Amino acid sequence: MIQLHNVTRLCHSKRMLTVNGKFPGPRVIAREGDRVVIKVVNHVSNNVSFHWHGIRQLLSGWADGPAYVTQCPIQSGQSYVYNFTIVGQRGTLLWHAHISWLRATLYGPIIILPKKNTSYPFAKPFKEVPMIFGEWWNADTEAVINQALQTGAGPNVSDAYTINGFPGPLYNCSANQTFKLKVKPGKTYLLRIINAALNDDLFFSIANHTFTVVEADAVYVKPFETDLLLITPGQTTNVLLKTKPYPFNTTFLMAARPYFTGQGTIDNSTVAGILEYENIPSENHSKISITGLQLPTLPPINGTSFAANFSNKFRSLATAQFPANVPQSIDKNFFFTVGLGSSPCPKNQTCQGPNGTKFAASVNNVSFTLPTTSLLQAHFFGQSNGVYTTDFPSFPITPFNYTGTPPNNTMVANGTKVVVLPFNTSVELVLQDTSILGAESHPLHLHGYNLFIVGQGFGNFDPQKDPPNYNLVDPVERNTVGVPSGGWVAIRFRADNPGVWFMHCHFEVHLSWGLKMAWIVLDGNLPNQQLPPPPSDLPKC
């Protein structure tokens, strides 16, 4: 149930959108193989829609959720039932609103347990704890983005980061709103870590403790140890935390803060939480003071070398039980530039973007315009005329030195253009960051698929020198991939899921500016390769 609810953070109260009055929203807990049925009833004036981020949605594209892509939004007073089966996935994902900036408050964890009588590929943890990072604005986020789109400027940044909805002791009047992880000595905890922030990659660490990374985006990975995590919006990371058998202290600080290399403004604050050991005799144990406690050491805000080294550590298990089915031969190659740009200022208006223009963002210099109906409905019923065109460029129309001196003309083209793929096409896509208006990392999310990350590097992709170094043995499989700042990443996937699938930057500001596109995957010949008709309660535009 979508309803308004009064929430207070940073001594600031506001009426905001919630699911069932909860912030963050409720956990969705299921097992691999379960059918999940979620009825959404809209009791607010905003249009809403919900995305089950990372769920493959095999033959259930009508339940994927992005507004004007797979459905029209759920209007005030209306409802819609999301109905899908979880196939071949287990681990941590997230759900969130997928229209405008409503996911600022409408988000929560998806926890997929293994099938009954199936164990993890690691020792069973003593306890499992979901930890979800978010961003808090004192202002109404719809007003924030609407003003930015009107003036062409960058939007105002958030006032705090949160862990499970709590900003913690480093923010104004928030000491009593601190996330506390209570642990027992000498035990192993599975932390299900989710980044649901709107616009920020986050570093995370717990002072004097290390993690063992065991899963990313609901796919098991080869375990590796680290005392630092980097996680982009839309990504999840499951880690094992082994608590100390004889801790020298009862409390330790945990902290997260942004990784950012762009040129705009950013919320450069730090969210802290507390790791608290229980059942340890100590004076003053009832009263916890964080004065004197050390914050964990985090990389600098522009720690790109850490980001690259960290993302290179992820590898698929690639076992008989959990194979890495990366396409070995490719039917279709694509090369997409991703980055910022500008749009002309409307006549009789003053704009506050670059050199008096409006900020924009694009893929292959096409800034995507959402239609006023649903792409999937238009495709399914053969009514694409006037809704979308199928001429999305496979390569940049005007090649340039992508990470060198940017071109003088930074204007983007606009359109609702898609790529059409025959069923079962094996695809290789190189995503290339550009230096236009500043190089920065872009968390690219593809709906309906997992992506094998076969290669990445800095500078411009070299089609001769780089592919021989691809990892086609055990590449990590993710639904959201960080395109390196000033670099490129190569991904592969097999188009085995018919429907219309959104691909976009998971920084909400870049999504609003047009850094998005869609793939249409055609039906196969067999009945189990064809998208069924839409449910009868599919919302109307």
Side-chain angles (χ1 to χ4, degrees):
M1 194 182 299
I2 315 310
Q3 56 195 130
L4 287 167
H5 197 72
N6 285 333
V7 179
T8 303
R9 297 289 185 273
L10 314 182
C11 283
H12 183 97
S13 294
K14 66 175 187 177
R15 267 182 94 59
M16 65 186 209
L17 273 62
T18 63
V19 172
N20 299 348
K22 290 190 159 78
F23 170 70
R27 299 174 191 177
V28 173
I29 303 175
R31 285 193 184 277
E32 178 187 345
D34 280 358
R35 180 173 161 212
V36 178
V37 180
I38 297 170
K39 183 176 186 179
V40 175
V41 186
N42 184 3
H43 285 295
V44 297
S45 58
N46 308 67
N47 288 347
V48 298
S49 76
F50 283 85
H51 173 50
W52 319 95
H53 182 113
I55 298 282
R56 282 284 325 260
Q57 298 292 5
L58 290 162
L59 301 182
S60 57
W62 302 107
D64 190 46
Y68 304 109
V69 179
T70 61
Q71 66 169 92
C72 297
I74 307 164
Q75 297 176 22
S76 183
Q78 304 292 308
S79 66
Y80 180 48
V81 175
Y82 291 94
N83 186 338
F84 54 89
T85 300
I86 300 170
V87 181
Q89 294 181 280
R90 77 297 299 164
T92 306
L93 295 169
L94 69 153
W95 59 264
H96 59 77
H98 211 306
I99 182 168
S100 190
W101 277 27
L102 297 190
R103 76 174 182 87
T105 62
L106 299 176
Y107 65 86
I110 299 176
I111 294 165
I112 309 168
L113 302 169
K115 287 180 175 171
K116 273 222 159 84
N117 304 322
T118 307
S119 56
Y120 295 125
F122 45 84
K124 188 176 191 292
F126 173 69
K127 197 175 174 192
E128 303 184 8
V129 184
M131 290 175 58
I132 192 160
F133 299 125
E135 277 182 271
W136 170 268
W137 269 262
N138 287 335
D140 169 23
T141 46
E142 291 305 277
V144 169
I145 183 56
N146 290 340
Q147 181 193 11
L149 293 175
Q150 181 68 36
T151 64
N156 289 339
V157 300
S158 55
D159 295 287
Y161 298 105
T162 58
I163 304 176
N164 289 1
F166 295 119
L170 303 183
Y171 292 107
N172 175 38
C173 76
S174 299
N176 62 343
Q177 294 187 320
T178 300
F179 170 71
K180 263 187 205 161
L181 176 58
K182 297 191 171 183
V183 297
K184 293 185 162 66
K187 301 285 187 193
T188 300
Y189 291 77
L190 178 68
L191 307 183
R192 298 176 174 270
I193 301 173
I194 302 164
N195 187 351
L198 260 72
N199 296 313
D200 300 277
D201 298 337
L202 293 170
F203 295 120
F204 175 68
S205 184
I206 301 179
N208 303 101
H209 288 72
T210 48
F211 308 119
T212 303
V213 176
V214 291
E215 182 233 296
D217 293 4
V219 180
Y220 295 132
V221 298
K222 289 190 169 78
F224 67 91
E225 287 206 349
T226 180
D227 52 5
L228 269 168
L229 299 177
L230 172 62
I231 183 163
T232 79
Q235 288 186 339
T236 64
T237 309
N238 278 7
V239 302
L240 297 175
L241 171 73
K242 284 195 170 75
T243 57
K244 299 174 183 301
Y246 306 105
F248 59 85
N249 214 332
T250 56
T251 47
F252 296 86
L253 285 180
M254 60 181 77
R257 72 152 188 252
Y259 160 59
F260 180 68
T261 63
Q263 293 182 349
T265 49
I266 188 172
D267 176 357
N268 189 16
S269 63
T270 302
V271 57
I274 290 173
L275 177 76
E276 182 185 327
Y277 280 83
E278 296 183 300
N279 305 345
I280 295 179
S282 94
E283 288 98 45
N284 289 338
H285 186 45
S286 57
K287 176 100 180 73
I288 290 175
S289 160
I290 65 148
T291 41
L293 288 183
Q294 286 295 123
L295 274 171
T297 307
L298 296 172
I301 187 168
N302 61 352
T304 294
S305 59
F306 173 84
N309 290 338
F310 183 71
S311 58
N312 274 322
K313 290 179 179 174
F314 287 81
R315 294 276 188 269
S316 287
L317 279 185
T319 58
Q321 192 183 358
F322 302 108
N325 293 320
V326 56
Q328 298 292 317
S329 60
I330 295 301
D331 300 321
K332 196 117 176 60
N333 285 83
F334 296 90
F335 182 92
F336 289 177
T337 57
V338 293
L340 302 187
S342 51
S343 288
C345 191
K347 282 197 174 73
N348 305 326
Q349 193 188 327
T350 309
C351 292
Q352 296 167 15
N355 303 318
T357 63
K358 285 186 157 192
F359 267 112
S362 68
V363 182
N364 274 354
N365 210 46
V366 177
S367 186
F368 192 86
T369 309
L370 281 175
T372 52
T373 182
S374 137
L375 292 174
L376 184 56
Q377 276 170 281
H379 160 64
F380 189 86
F381 293 110
Q383 298 166 340
S384 63
N385 217 353
V387 180
Y388 64 83
T389 57
T390 57
D391 57 346
F392 189 90
S394 301
F395 295 85
I397 292 164
T398 313
F400 61 98
N401 180 4
Y402 306 113
T403 54
T405 308
N408 291 333
N409 180 8
T410 63
M411 292 292 173
V412 299
N414 296 289
T416 311
K417 299 173 186 282
V418 304
V419 174
V420 178
L421 294 173
F423 183 80
N424 234 20
T425 305
S426 57
V427 173
E428 179 174 309
L429 166 63
V430 174
L431 295 162
Q432 171 75 58
D433 183 35
T434 78
S435 57
I436 295 175
L437 301 178
E440 58 182 299
S441 111
H442 295 278
L444 257 283
H445 171 50
L446 175 59
H447 291 225
Y449 287 89
N450 279 344
L451 307 162
F452 288 100
I453 302 173
V454 296
Q456 56 187 346
F458 290 117
N460 297 342
F461 174 74
D462 185 322
Q464 268 66 52
K465 289 185 181 158
D466 288 324
N469 299 321
Y470 283 174
N471 172 12
L472 300 177
V473 179
D474 61 351
V476 69
E477 190 181 344
R478 304 198 77 138
N479 62 58
T480 305
V481 51
V483 180
S485 176
W488 57 272
V489 62
I491 59 178
R492 289 186 174 190
F493 67 96
R494 186 176 304 283
D496 58 1
N497 190 13
V500 177
W501 304 108
F502 210 20
M503 189 174 86
H504 59 89
C505 182
H506 221 277
F507 290 152
E508 220 59 22
V509 56
H510 294 173
L511 180 60
S512 301
W513 286 343
L515 209 167
K516 52 198 174 191
M517 55 81 65
W519 305 80
I520 293 183
V521 177
L522 301 176
D523 284 348
N525 296 323
L526 302 174
N528 64 351
Q529 299 171 345
Q530 294 168 6
L531 183 68
S536 57
D537 66 336
L538 190 72
K540 296 185 171 45
C541 280

